[in-house]
Amino acid sequence: MEDYTAELAAWFRSHAAPEKAAPMAAYMRDKFPFLGIKSPERKQLTKEFWANHGIPTGDELLEVVRRLWELPEREFQNVAMSFLDKHGKRAKVEDIDTFEHLIVTKSWWDTVDYLAAHSMGDHLTKYPELIPDYADRWIVSDDYWLRRTAILYQLRYKGRTDVDRMFAYIERCKDESEFFIRKAIGWALREYSKTDEDAVRRFVERTPLSPLSVKEALKHVST
């Protein structure tokens, strides 16, 4: 997979647009360098590469993902997530360790939120026995991206949401000043309000949350 990843990297670098790279990096607070390839073009280039080179599966796909994650330009982490989309239902129970590694490496909202709600969310649906060992550990982690993941992994669960666990995780983090935790709390509650508006309203009424969390949580709740 080294040659495959090298060809993919060369393909993207041949389409770099330096004049766009600086504004893209600035939008991400200059945390990562960019090639200057915006999302629509990145997706098209990925499809073209797949059409010409195929898509690996299983452990080979995850190897490509890890290699892409090591590259400096942010587009490669976004391309890696497109590969993870293809991994989906083929994921094995132990793949959670790779997903966790990605969350805590080159962490920012654009990767963590996808990994939390999609990769982890789908994986913990398939292997719910992992939740006590992983999600319960994340919520007490010193890494706030793991705490955010614990709050958000049920984001797309709707009626399948373990409401008691979600509320307990939020209770544990409700006094934090970290923006990304406060935002995650509001986001998780807002999404669940589309399933059970009354439960969210009651929780917000009895729980002292930050103004940001409350605003986000009640965005779709009738008053």
Side-chain angles (χ1 to χ4, degrees):
M1 290 296 102
E2 184 176 357
D3 290 344
Y4 181 96
T5 310
E7 287 190 44
L8 189 153
W11 169 246
F12 270 83
R13 289 196 169 110
S14 72
H15 292 81
E19 71 281 2
K20 298 177 184 177
M24 292 173 71
Y27 177 72
M28 298 294 283
R29 300 186 185 178
D30 291 311
K31 289 185 173 293
F32 314 100
F34 278 78
L35 294 170
I37 301 173
K38 294 190 174 182
S39 180
E41 186 183 2
R42 186 188 74 238
K43 292 177 181 178
Q44 183 58 38
L45 290 172
T46 302
K47 289 179 181 179
E48 291 177 16
F49 186 85
W50 285 343
N52 292 321
H53 296 81
I55 307 173
T57 59
D59 291 342
E60 289 186 342
L61 182 145
L62 289 182
E63 181 185 344
V64 170
V65 168
R66 287 189 289 267
R67 288 181 180 277
L68 288 171
W69 219 263
E70 292 172 358
L71 297 176
E73 294 87 358
R74 195 57 167 174
E75 286 90 344
F76 292 121
Q77 284 85 65
N78 287 295
V79 172
M81 291 188 290
S82 296
F83 278 87
L84 287 177
D85 271 340
K86 301 297 183 181
H87 193 47
K89 295 179 180 179
R90 299 187 181 96
K92 298 178 294 185
V93 62
E94 62 267 24
D95 291 348
I96 192 169
D97 293 320
T98 294
F99 303 151
E100 184 179 85
H101 171 74
L102 300 178
I103 285 170
V104 299
T105 307
K106 299 186 178 178
S107 309
W108 199 237
W109 61 264
D110 59 328
T111 54
V112 172
D113 291 357
Y114 167 84
L115 292 164
H118 292 265
S119 298
M120 284 302 189
D122 293 346
H123 205 69
L124 294 176
T125 293
K126 185 176 181 180
Y127 302 109
E129 67 274 14
L130 295 173
I131 292 171
D133 288 338
Y134 283 84
D136 287 356
R137 171 168 55 78
W138 298 334
I139 200 62
V140 297
S141 170
D142 290 337
D143 188 324
Y144 65 79
W145 293 114
L146 285 176
R147 298 199 301 278
R148 184 172 169 96
T149 297
I151 295 168
L152 294 181
Y153 81 87
Q154 298 191 83
L155 197 65
R156 301 185 299 138
Y157 282 19
K158 299 181 180 179
R160 297 184 293 109
T161 301
D162 181 339
V163 183
D164 290 341
R165 177 171 261 107
M166 179 183 70
F167 285 167
Y169 285 179
I170 291 171
E171 286 272 9
R172 186 173 188 90
C173 297
K174 63 183 172 59
D175 296 324
E176 291 193 34
S177 60
E178 171 55 52
F179 169 83
F180 286 109
I181 295 299
R182 291 184 170 188
K183 189 78 170 181
I185 289 171
W187 190 11
L189 292 171
R190 184 181 76 215
E191 286 304 303
Y192 188 64
S193 75
K194 299 173 185 177
T195 298
D196 191 339
E197 182 176 305
D198 289 340
V200 170
R201 185 189 294 108
R202 290 193 299 269
F203 180 78
V204 171
E205 286 174 354
R206 70 173 186 264
T207 309
L209 300 173
S210 72
L212 172 61
S213 296
V214 172
K215 179 182 177 181
E216 290 293 326
L218 300 181
K219 191 166 285 186
H220 299 305
V221 173
S222 56
T223 57

